[in-house]
Amino acid sequence: NQEPNGLYYQVQVDTVTSFQNPIINEFTEITTLLIDEHIKWQSSYFWRVRSHHGENQTSPWLSSVFHTKDSVIGNIEVNNYNINIIQPGLTAFGGWAPSWRSAMVDANGNEIWNDDGFMIKLSEIDEFGRMYGFSLSQWPTYTGVKINADIVPIWHPNDTWVDDHEIIELSSGHFMGFTYDDRLGPIPSNNYWTEAFRDLGYTADDSTLEFMWRGHVITEWDKDKNIVWSWNAWDHFTTSDRDELGGTWAMAYHNSNQVYDWMHSNSIFFDEQDNHIYISTRHLSRITKIEYPSGNVIWNMGLPEPYMSTGNESICSDILFSWQHHVQKLENGNIVFFDNGNISWALFDITDPVSRVIEIDIVNDNECEIVWEYNLPPNLFGSAGGGIQYLQNGNKLIYTLGDGNGTNEPKIFEISSDDDILWELNLPGHALHRPFRVPSLHPDIFSVIFDNYKEVVLNDDSLKGVIIDDNQHSLDIEIYNSSGYDQYYNYIFNDSNGWFEEIIDTILIQAYNHLELQYEPIIHGDSMTTINVTISPTYHPYRIKHYSKDVYFVESNLISSVSTVPLDFIVEDPYPNPFNTNTWINILPNKGQNVDVDIYDINGRNVRNLFNEYVGLGGRNIAWNGRDDKGLIITTGIYIVKVLGDNYSYKKKIMFLK
């Protein structure tokens, strides 16, 4: 909570309660702090926090303890071929081997988050950082679930077995995923496994309905978990279209549940601008475009005859993709997907199957042109899973199971616009679903600061509240988005005595930025009012914050501050801020010591080692001219000054303007 009179806060973390040499000693002006270094798995840490006031004063320490869980990744290897031009952020993934789990790593492969035994296979992390997937925990409760980074389930349907490949959220707040419709179907009469089925007593004549086929239903739920729309493949597909080369009938023969996995749908993309749904059906080597909400099939894209009986009705049949995953529509209108190529050996008459990533321009829902294609080497063929993410900087992130030629090379790698490999994460023994590059962890992290919030003595009474006086004429509230995601925030503002107009609004705050809300009071006869403020991230409403604070209108000479505890090491805020020529950082240590000052950009890259010298008790005023280590003028934007002393750390954001 914001402390009255607090200008900024000091947070220390250590493995012992003495805090003589804390492993973390950070300073922040806001009431949230995300610590991203020096924390190990399966450990316990003590931490404490205090506020720093004016006139070298602090509040008493508040202390607590936290524990970290177990790592889930094990041995991994990262190769950085050109780390300077990769997309900044964290790499997230989920999978089913060696166990069902999900995790995130940084650019160096350090595991910084995992699902803590929730056994979730992530299938989606959207533009606001919302996470979706399939969990084996409490089967089947969370088979289609939305969670946050604290592994708290936010939404899931009631007692419904949702397919493990996809669960998405629509802008309406509804959810969409695959459910099952199993019906009896025929066994083919000319398949490699036909005689084996006949030996079990089946007719296997292409027409007798004698073996259970698993079909998929696209199911839409509202926020209250009611089914509001569905699309059943049995109404649109024919059982004469089926896999004959990819081994699905062998899997059916050995399946103890005696179910033929007819479709194995693995992705849904909802184009809300045009109201179209795109689904990928792996075992039919088919991508389908569906009109919403009518459910009419606009086209099927897939293999020609004789590979599929209705192949002559498909578009783009000359592309010859098979067993594909992760179909998406890009902003340019093109379609992209990961072509696993499980039967490419037959389609292209080659010895070993080959996987590809393909971007297709579809003209008039009929003609197709491959505008980009990336062919993986035979050893990186992926027989299952697979995904592609187009990154903001123009690079692309690809995952493949990497089991070609009997190898075991699961890999997530980033390629440039010229298809050069820049970075790769090698995960031997792991089987994943899709890759995600996300800007940060905890997309819901934010702070609310009330300016001029003080504890004062007024007429011999001690009061806590926001002070409006001769120096502070308005009520200022600052909202800090501490995440790497641009986020919308809903807020409600009113007060008890009508000093302020009631406001209900939504605002956008960009990543790592803040917005100041300023309210001018119309003060009536009362000397105080009580404000009520409710703020929540629009797409993370569970993180709602409520505030009720007294606001006092007083004459400045009638109040005095409440005394607190003396301060140790002082770093004055850079001035001026923003700046365009020079800014100054004044350092006043409590004893002579070596002090290191570095400048970082907002993505954590070191821009300038500004200072690394001994500083005596007299202090040092250090200037920065807005140039990097190469002497070049930096670009306009937000930068971070970090000061390190003996058992001391300070961070401050500054703005450079050309």
Side-chain angles (χ1 to χ4, degrees):
N1 294 323
Q2 182 180 356
E3 290 286 319
N5 307 319
L7 299 177
Y8 53 92
Y9 303 89
Q10 181 180 9
V11 178
Q12 292 184 342
V13 180
D14 207 348
T15 54
V16 294
T17 57
S18 63
F19 292 98
Q20 290 183 348
N21 295 292
I23 60 174
I24 290 170
N25 187 34
E26 294 281 357
F27 290 78
T28 174
E29 292 180 316
I30 59 179
T31 54
T32 53
L33 177 65
L34 183 60
I35 297 171
D36 57 5
E37 55 186 358
H38 304 307
I39 303 298
K40 298 179 180 179
W41 294 103
Q42 204 173 3
S43 304
S44 296
Y45 295 92
F46 302 96
W47 70 280
R48 62 183 185 175
V49 59
R50 65 179 177 179
S51 60
H52 286 236
H53 305 180
E55 301 177 358
N56 300 344
Q57 304 293 310
T58 70
S59 68
W61 289 105
L62 297 174
S63 302
S64 189
V65 63
F66 68 88
H67 313 277
T68 57
K69 301 294 186 177
D70 295 335
S71 167
V72 303
I73 293 180
N75 294 324
I76 61 174
E77 176 188 337
V78 168
N79 293 318
N80 286 309
Y81 300 110
N82 197 335
I83 197 170
N84 294 323
I85 59 174
I86 68 171
Q87 174 71 43
L90 308 171
T91 302
F93 52 84
W96 64 92
S99 62
W100 286 75
R101 77 283 176 269
S102 293
M104 292 187 193
V105 300
D106 64 16
N108 296 313
N110 299 308
E111 180 181 353
I112 61 109
W113 176 89
N114 68 52
D115 67 1
D116 187 27
F118 190 59
M119 295 185 290
I120 188 172
K121 181 176 76 172
L122 286 175
S123 60
E124 178 67 24
I125 304 178
D126 72 7
E127 60 183 314
F128 301 108
R130 298 179 295 182
M131 305 165 70
Y132 311 85
F134 175 97
S135 170
L136 291 178
S137 180
Q138 299 182 36
W139 176 274
T141 303
Y142 301 126
T143 53
V145 64
K146 172 184 178 181
I147 64 169
N148 63 18
D150 297 320
I151 330 297
V152 175
I154 305 301
W155 183 93
H156 58 88
N158 285 325
D159 300 321
T160 302
W161 179 9
V162 181
D163 183 85
D164 62 298
H165 290 91
E166 192 75 275
I167 184 78
I168 62 174
E169 185 171 0
L170 312 182
S171 62
S172 62
H174 291 187
F175 294 82
M176 190 171 282
F178 293 115
T179 54
Y180 301 113
D181 183 357
D182 294 351
R183 303 183 185 183
L184 286 175
I187 298 174
S189 62
N190 57 349
N191 188 270
Y192 292 111
W193 287 84
T194 297
E195 293 304 322
F197 278 102
R198 287 174 176 165
D199 289 342
L200 294 177
Y202 291 102
T203 306
D205 62 357
D206 295 316
S207 59
T208 301
L209 304 181
E210 57 183 344
F211 200 85
M212 195 64 70
W213 287 41
R214 172 146 294 163
H216 270 136
V217 180
I218 307 173
T219 302
E220 179 183 354
W221 299 267
D222 64 16
K223 297 177 183 178
D224 298 323
K225 308 182 182 182
N226 302 306
I227 295 176
V228 295
W229 182 87
S230 63
W231 182 92
N232 195 322
W234 287 100
D235 299 330
H236 302 275
F237 292 174
T238 172
T239 57
S240 62
D241 285 338
R242 56 182 179 248
D243 168 62
E244 298 286 2
L245 298 174
T248 54
W249 284 105
M251 290 186 282
Y253 179 83
H254 293 290
N255 189 324
S256 59
N257 295 324
Q258 295 289 283
V259 174
Y260 173 56
D261 192 1
W262 173 37
M263 296 180 59
H264 203 100
S265 304
N266 54 38
S267 73
I268 302 173
F269 184 90
F270 196 113
D271 176 9
E272 300 204 40
Q273 182 176 355
D274 295 329
N275 274 337
H276 293 144
I277 299 171
Y278 297 82
I279 66 169
S280 166
T281 307
R282 182 176 80 156
H283 289 172
L284 298 182
S285 298
R286 173 180 292 173
I287 295 171
T288 303
K289 181 178 180 181
I290 302 165
E291 184 180 60
Y292 177 89
S294 72
N296 295 328
V297 173
I298 298 175
W299 47 249
N300 285 314
M301 179 194 302
L303 296 178
E305 295 182 10
Y307 303 105
M308 289 292 150
S309 66
T310 63
N312 289 343
E313 301 172 14
S314 295
I315 67 169
C316 310
S317 57
D318 58 331
I319 297 176
L320 299 179
F321 60 85
S322 58
W323 288 46
Q324 71 294 327
H325 279 77
H326 207 187
V327 61
Q328 303 159 72
K329 184 179 179 182
L330 304 174
E331 290 184 0
N332 62 12
N334 293 345
I335 300 297
V336 67
F337 56 91
F338 186 92
D339 171 23
N340 293 75
N342 284 48
I343 61 172
S344 58
W345 55 271
L347 299 174
F348 297 105
D349 192 22
I350 55 179
T351 302
D352 299 307
V354 175
S355 297
R356 304 177 289 174
V357 180
I358 306 173
E359 180 183 340
I360 302 174
D361 179 17
I362 304 173
V363 181
N364 297 324
D365 287 324
N366 185 28
E367 298 179 2
C368 303
E369 177 186 358
I370 295 179
V371 297
W372 177 72
E373 181 177 357
Y374 185 83
N375 291 275
L376 280 70
N379 62 301
L380 293 184
F381 158 76
S383 65
I388 170 74
Q389 182 186 13
Y390 279 50
L391 304 176
Q392 290 182 346
N393 63 359
N395 295 345
K396 301 175 182 72
L397 193 69
I398 298 172
Y399 162 68
T400 179
L401 183 58
D403 57 345
N405 294 331
T407 59
N408 177 18
E409 302 180 52
K411 189 186 300 286
I412 298 174
F413 58 98
E414 182 175 345
I415 61 174
S416 68
S417 56
D418 296 324
D419 295 349
D420 296 324
I421 295 180
L422 308 174
W423 177 91
E424 62 183 16
L425 176 67
N426 300 296
L427 293 151
H430 290 250
L432 310 178
H433 186 39
R434 298 172 183 166
F436 304 97
R437 179 68 49 79
V438 298
S440 74
L441 187 60
H442 299 293
D444 50 9
I445 186 173
F446 75 104
S447 294
V448 179
I449 300 296
F450 295 82
D451 285 358
N452 222 30
Y453 176 56
K454 296 181 177 181
E455 182 176 4
V456 298
V457 176
L458 178 62
N459 299 327
D460 296 326
D461 291 327
S462 179
L463 304 173
K464 290 183 181 181
V466 179
I467 306 301
I468 295 178
D469 55 23
D470 298 339
N471 298 317
Q472 181 83 22
H473 300 283
S474 62
L475 172 67
D476 298 342
I477 304 174
E478 295 175 286
I479 306 174
Y480 289 81
N481 175 9
S482 299
S483 80
Y485 295 85
D486 296 347
Q487 294 287 5
Y488 289 90
Y489 296 84
N490 300 328
Y491 75 97
I492 302 173
F493 171 84
N494 56 49
D495 76 296
S496 60
N497 286 330
W499 287 16
F500 304 96
E501 179 182 357
E502 181 177 16
I503 297 176
I504 301 175
D505 203 357
T506 299
I507 55 176
L508 172 65
I509 305 179
Q510 294 181 330
Y512 302 116
N513 216 318
H514 77 282
L515 185 68
E516 182 177 288
L517 305 176
Q518 190 172 79
Y519 305 98
E520 296 291 339
I522 300 177
I523 300 173
H524 306 299
D526 304 293
S527 61
M528 65 87 65
T529 188
T530 300
I531 58 171
N532 298 292
V533 182
T534 299
I535 301 176
S536 65
T538 303
Y539 296 100
H540 303 276
Y542 55 86
R543 201 61 78 195
I544 191 169
K545 296 183 179 182
H546 302 280
Y547 302 91
S548 180
K549 294 190 181 297
D550 294 331
V551 179
Y552 297 93
F553 174 66
V554 297
E555 296 181 23
S556 298
N557 59 2
L558 296 180
I559 63 175
S560 60
S561 297
V562 175
S563 298
T564 48
V565 184
L567 178 67
D568 300 323
F569 192 120
I570 300 173
V571 177
E572 295 181 352
D573 289 343
Y575 181 83
N577 184 18
F579 76 103
N580 59 13
T581 53
N582 288 286
T583 189
W584 298 84
I585 304 127
N586 192 26
I587 299 173
L588 298 167
N590 60 334
K591 63 178 182 179
Q593 59 191 280
N594 196 72
V595 176
D596 184 75
V597 181
D598 284 278
I599 309 295
Y600 295 85
D601 67 17
I602 199 65
N603 295 314
R605 290 186 287 260
N606 190 292
V607 172
R608 176 85 179 270
N609 179 246
L610 189 62
F611 183 85
N612 191 347
E613 297 180 19
Y614 181 87
V615 179
L617 288 175
R620 184 73 66 88
N621 205 9
I622 301 167
W624 182 38
N625 59 4
R627 294 182 180 271
D628 63 16
D629 277 333
K630 297 179 181 178
L632 302 176
I633 294 290
I634 60 174
T635 59
T636 294
I638 297 174
Y639 293 81
I640 297 170
V641 177
K642 185 171 184 179
V643 179
L644 291 176
D646 292 349
N647 305 320
Y648 180 87
S649 176
Y650 163 95
K651 286 182 181 178
K652 176 67 179 179
K653 292 180 182 177
I654 54 176
M655 171 72 79
F656 177 72
L657 302 173
K658 285 189 177 180

